[in-house]
Amino acid sequence: MVDNAPGSPQTVPLCGVGTAVKLVPTSLSFGRVPVGTTSSPRGVTLRNASVNAALNISAFKFSGFNTGAFAETNTCGTSVPPHGSCTISVTFAPKAKGFENATLNIFDDGGASPQTVMVTGIGE
């Protein structure tokens, strides 16, 4: 900023973390699923919003209390092109009766990594 104060122009350092990744939806609820069975898959779309850079993906990992109750497969591979998208399919196979939850973490170089999807279900 240019002004008439000593030391002009004035500067203000800025920093932040943006992301080139868009997830839709950011949470999945599987409702009630019988223990010992596996739900139908539910999908999440991952979109690379960058106009000129591929999105490099290093890992998909569940974290939280009930990580063993959820599984994922995806069409993402290790890279998503600019303006490209891929699908992540998640299933729920409850290990016990009651509420179960976890977080799917997507590790990438698109900023603000990991991207997260909350997953929940009820074993009955």
Side-chain angles (χ1 to χ4, degrees):
M1 174 181 198
V2 178
D3 57 32
N4 63 356
S8 184
Q10 312 301 320
T11 61
V12 177
L14 302 172
C15 67
V17 177
T19 183
V21 182
K22 180 164 178 80
L23 292 171
V24 177
T26 57
S27 65
L28 296 172
S29 176
F30 289 89
R32 297 180 178 279
V33 175
V35 173
T37 66
T38 300
S39 71
S40 297
R42 300 216 179 201
V44 174
T45 299
L46 181 151
R47 182 173 176 271
N48 179 2
S50 174
V51 296
N52 59 6
L55 174 69
N56 297 301
I57 299 171
S58 58
F60 294 84
K61 294 183 182 178
F62 285 98
S63 63
F65 293 109
N66 308 112
T67 58
F70 299 93
E72 69 81 23
T73 58
N74 66 77
T75 63
C76 302
T78 58
S79 180
V80 178
H83 288 292
S85 63
C86 60
T87 301
I88 304 161
S89 295
V90 180
T91 56
F92 173 49
K95 306 294 183 199
K97 289 185 177 189
F99 181 78
E100 298 192 55
N101 65 38
T103 301
L104 174 59
N105 299 283
I106 302 145
F107 296 90
D108 59 65
D109 66 352
S113 182
Q115 317 308 320
T116 60
V117 178
M118 304 300 294
V119 292
T120 61
I122 300 170
E124 63 176 22

